[in-house]
Amino acid sequence: MTKSAFAAERLLFTPAAPDTDAIPTIFAFPNEYSVGITSLGYQVVWATLAMRSDVQVSRLFTDTHEQLPRSPELVGFSCSWELDYVNILNLLEFLEIPIHSAARSAADPLVFGGGPVLTANPEPFADFFDIILLGDGENLLGNFIEAYKQVRNADRKTQLRQLAQVPGVYVPSLYEVTYHSPDGCIQSIQPVAAEIPNWVEKQTYRGNTLSASTVVTEKAAWENIYMVEVVRSCPEMCRFCLASYLTLPFRTASVEGSLIPAIERGLAVTDRIGLLGASVTQHPEFETLLDYLSQPQYDRVRLSIASVRTNTVTLELAQALAKRDTRSLTIAVESGSERLRQIINKKLNNDEIIQAAVNAKAGGLSGLKLYGMAGVPGEEPADLEQTVEMMRSLKRAAPGLRLTFGCSTFVPKAHTPFQWFGVNREAEKRLQLLQKQLKPQGIDFRPESYNWSVIQALLSRGDRRLSQLLELTRHYGDSLGSYRRAFKQLREQLPDLDFYVHINWSKSQVLPWSHLQGPLSQATLLKHLAAAEALFNHKQAKFEPHDPPLKPRQTAAF
């Protein structure tokens, strides 16, 4: 892509004129421009930096970039997907920056990162970053820049030690991780000096003005879309869900003070609006917002809405969306089994799911997308049968409505009650079973790749020893075969894939992120886990943790 991509942008903010001594900064998204510019988080952080006169920021993507400073002092990455780590390493090499933080000198910039992947569990990537910003950027970013200005002329060691005092600023090199053995479990995670905090707490923005697009462009993956964050986090707290647990508490933007003014700014440059959030329709004033958008002067507006809570799919909502050029809705049901939904704390029954389908069709929508999951802790074969029956019931209740069932494999996520569970080895077969049962029913079944779910779990529960594995997989070509080859080469230098991915971990085990404090304490997460376990059938094998030996058994990598 040429730099003409930037020429198509319509900015909704005014960049500041940089001071003569402004901090030369590169802010990168480790993917193509069309993907990065569609990330609301990336847009907002870039605009925040660009509106500061003490920062001169240039953007960098894998396929294009603005004019870059010759000697940047700060290089930042926004990381939304685990597998983008390959592009982070590629971009560091493009900038001629050593990929290991330990190899960087005073001549190199400080490399910082943020975003959901790094906030959840930065440890597999810790060796590549000097600094990781944990949590919401609204306050954290400004505090980081101000703290950097205070140590701008200091040596690198002093800079890092001073920046580590800022809440939410994590400096991985200032924490020493010890292991029971090279391929054993973590023994301890300790700061290297008394002045370094024992743990780093994720920062949470608690205002009622949430994010909105700072740029609109036809080159975005969602062409010409203006995005408005309606809610942040989710009040449902499904026990596997990173989007809920990592971002608590549930926050809503003020309709009059935030959402309507933001939408009006967007409609000045485009007719496509996207309402974002993990549970948009649970905004307490969502009906007011919908009434506002249903006014005749907005008949030309195309409205897109993120996944909505199933029991909020009313006839009125479906009609409003159909009128605004939306053809389908997306709901997350996880399973057709009410028992399994209770285990994961999904407060939903099948009657509500069927009513959502009926309302969607009656309101003029042509399709309904449902998200489900296979291999959820506590799942039994009968639960899969109930999922198939639920989909059949939907087809009978709403004939002619196009049904899509997207199904992923359960992947444990840090800072959630299910972080101690491993990936179910039967999940791949269960995906195949669902496909065999649903496809003849005329239901569009879309399973996510089981193998890539395994890799996602590896990175989700990984520790620092994975950095050498990630380098090897990149060197070998970043294919699934590369991971097999890298585990074989590093045998006895780190635990095997089973340990990271499939084994249930001991509740007393030191987790890779134990020194990083999320919204809820480990004690609270254990209470939520116990509530789930209490609902498991007695016939089923109970939670059997892997008590950490000095050396986990070696098994063949997948």
Side-chain angles (χ1 to χ4, degrees):
M1 177 179 287
T2 66
K3 295 179 177 62
S4 63
F6 301 112
E9 293 178 340
R10 286 156 285 166
L11 302 186
L12 290 103
F13 71 99
T14 303
D19 299 333
T20 54
D21 63 343
I23 303 165
T25 301
I26 296 173
F27 188 49
F29 193 93
N31 210 304
E32 296 177 353
Y33 172 85
S34 64
V35 177
I37 207 63
T38 313
S39 164
L40 183 58
Y42 180 81
Q43 283 190 21
V44 170
V45 172
W46 160 62
T48 301
L49 294 172
M51 287 189 286
R52 297 183 64 117
S53 61
D54 54 358
V55 174
Q56 184 165 9
V57 62
S58 302
R59 288 175 290 166
L60 171 64
F61 303 91
T62 57
D63 57 348
T64 189
H65 58 82
E66 295 177 309
Q67 183 174 347
L68 302 177
R70 288 186 177 181
S71 300
E73 295 181 32
L74 298 174
V75 172
F77 290 90
S78 176
C79 193
S80 298
W81 295 284
E82 290 94 341
L83 297 177
D84 274 349
Y85 78 86
V86 174
N87 293 329
I88 292 175
L89 302 186
N90 290 343
L91 290 174
L92 286 173
E93 290 186 343
F94 168 75
L95 295 170
E96 298 182 347
I97 299 170
I99 63 173
H100 291 104
S101 61
R104 295 175 195 141
S105 68
D108 296 306
L110 292 178
V111 176
F112 71 93
V117 169
L118 296 177
T119 294
N121 177 22
E123 291 305 284
F125 319 102
D127 288 350
F128 310 132
F129 288 93
D130 299 303
I131 293 161
I132 293 170
L133 306 182
L134 302 178
D136 297 334
E138 280 87 349
N139 300 323
L140 178 55
L141 187 65
N143 293 341
F144 167 62
I145 296 296
E146 290 300 324
Y148 174 73
K149 287 163 64 178
Q150 298 300 314
V151 294
R152 187 177 181 184
N153 297 317
D155 62 86
R156 195 178 189 88
K157 180 179 178 181
T158 301
Q159 287 180 335
L160 293 175
R161 293 199 171 214
Q162 288 299 115
L163 289 168
Q165 307 303 319
V166 179
V169 175
Y170 172 44
V171 181
S173 62
L174 298 181
Y175 294 82
E176 182 182 10
V177 183
T178 58
Y179 306 92
H180 288 288
S181 67
D183 58 351
C185 298
I186 295 173
Q187 185 174 40
S188 69
I189 305 173
Q190 298 291 334
V192 299
E195 71 269 18
I196 306 303
N198 287 323
W199 63 84
V200 186
E201 185 174 356
K202 172 192 172 291
Q203 298 301 288
T204 301
Y205 168 69
R206 298 180 183 272
N208 66 353
T209 299
L210 300 180
S211 300
S213 284
T214 59
V215 58
V216 171
T217 175
E218 63 187 25
K219 303 293 186 180
W222 296 339
E223 183 178 340
N224 288 321
I225 196 165
Y226 177 85
M227 297 172 285
V228 182
E229 186 182 20
V230 178
V231 299
R232 188 172 296 181
S233 192
C234 176
E236 296 305 306
M237 297 177 68
C238 296
R239 292 177 176 128
F240 62 84
C241 184
L242 184 69
S244 178
Y245 273 86
L246 187 65
T247 58
L248 290 170
F250 181 60
R251 285 146 288 167
T252 60
S254 165
V255 169
E256 296 293 337
S258 173
L259 294 178
I260 289 177
I263 289 170
E264 289 178 345
R265 287 196 301 273
L267 290 176
V269 296
T270 185
D271 63 355
R272 186 176 183 188
I273 300 293
L275 303 181
L276 302 189
S279 191
V280 170
T281 52
Q282 285 184 273
H283 191 293
E285 297 179 277
F286 183 77
E287 287 187 9
T288 301
L289 180 62
L290 196 61
D291 289 343
Y292 167 80
L293 289 169
S294 297
Q295 296 177 89
Q297 64 263 38
Y298 300 130
D299 283 350
R300 64 181 175 83
V301 173
R302 293 183 295 161
L303 183 63
S304 301
I305 190 168
S307 178
V308 302
R309 178 156 171 76
T310 303
N311 61 7
T312 63
V313 181
T314 62
L315 178 63
E316 292 75 19
L317 173 63
Q319 288 173 334
L321 293 175
K323 189 177 179 181
R324 298 290 180 274
D325 202 32
T326 293
R327 296 179 178 85
S328 66
L329 259 182
T330 301
I331 58 176
V333 298
E334 314 313 342
S335 172
S337 164
E338 298 203 12
R339 183 192 71 88
L340 201 59
R341 288 199 297 266
Q342 288 179 342
I343 288 174
I344 64 179
N345 200 36
K346 190 81 176 180
K347 307 173 190 74
L348 184 63
N349 61 57
N350 283 354
D351 289 342
E352 291 173 319
I353 299 171
I354 291 172
Q355 190 62 54
V358 170
N359 290 345
K361 182 174 186 291
L365 296 175
S366 59
L368 182 66
K369 300 176 183 177
L370 300 94
Y371 282 137
M373 195 175 287
V376 176
E379 182 182 80
E380 297 180 348
D383 298 311
L384 300 177
E385 295 170 9
Q386 290 175 46
T387 296
V388 173
E389 181 53 40
M390 175 194 70
M391 296 303 297
R392 288 174 178 156
S393 297
L394 292 179
K395 200 164 183 65
R396 290 193 297 266
L401 185 68
R402 187 180 68 256
L403 296 176
T404 301
F405 190 67
C407 195
S408 61
T409 297
F410 162 74
V411 172
K413 296 291 185 179
H415 306 291
T416 71
F418 283 2
Q419 64 186 356
W420 287 278
F421 284 110
V423 173
N424 190 322
R425 299 174 192 274
E426 297 296 314
E428 185 173 24
K429 291 181 181 177
R430 293 178 181 183
L431 288 172
Q432 293 168 351
L433 175 65
L434 286 172
Q435 180 157 348
K436 182 179 179 180
Q437 294 289 327
L438 292 175
K439 193 172 181 181
Q441 306 292 325
I443 294 166
D444 184 9
F445 181 68
R446 298 182 183 179
E448 289 190 7
S449 164
Y450 170 78
N451 284 336
W452 282 117
S453 294
V454 167
I455 299 304
Q456 188 183 123
L458 171 67
L459 298 176
S460 176
R461 293 210 300 179
D463 54 46
R464 294 188 185 184
R465 290 170 292 188
L466 288 189
S467 63
Q468 54 185 333
L469 182 128
L470 297 182
E471 286 183 69
L472 283 177
T473 57
R474 170 176 171 256
H475 176 69
Y476 293 156
D478 189 41
S479 66
L480 290 176
S482 297
Y483 285 89
R484 297 188 186 98
R485 183 178 175 187
F487 264 107
K488 185 176 181 180
Q489 181 167 336
L490 295 172
R491 186 182 177 94
E492 298 187 0
Q493 296 180 48
L494 79 169
D496 60 11
L497 182 132
D498 274 4
F499 168 79
Y500 288 114
V501 173
H502 293 296
I503 293 175
N504 291 342
W505 284 354
S506 165
K507 297 171 187 176
S508 61
Q509 188 170 330
V510 178
L511 302 174
W513 50 88
S514 292
H515 57 309
L516 308 176
Q517 179 60 56
L520 299 181
S521 69
Q522 179 157 312
T524 300
L525 295 179
L526 284 168
K527 287 180 181 178
H528 292 192
L529 172 61
E533 290 182 289
L535 296 169
F536 284 12
N537 284 347
H538 294 299
K539 292 184 299 181
Q540 184 187 344
K542 294 181 180 179
F543 180 98
E544 296 178 356
H546 165 69
D547 292 317
L550 294 185
K551 291 181 67 175
R553 64 183 178 86
Q554 292 289 340
T555 59
F558 72 103

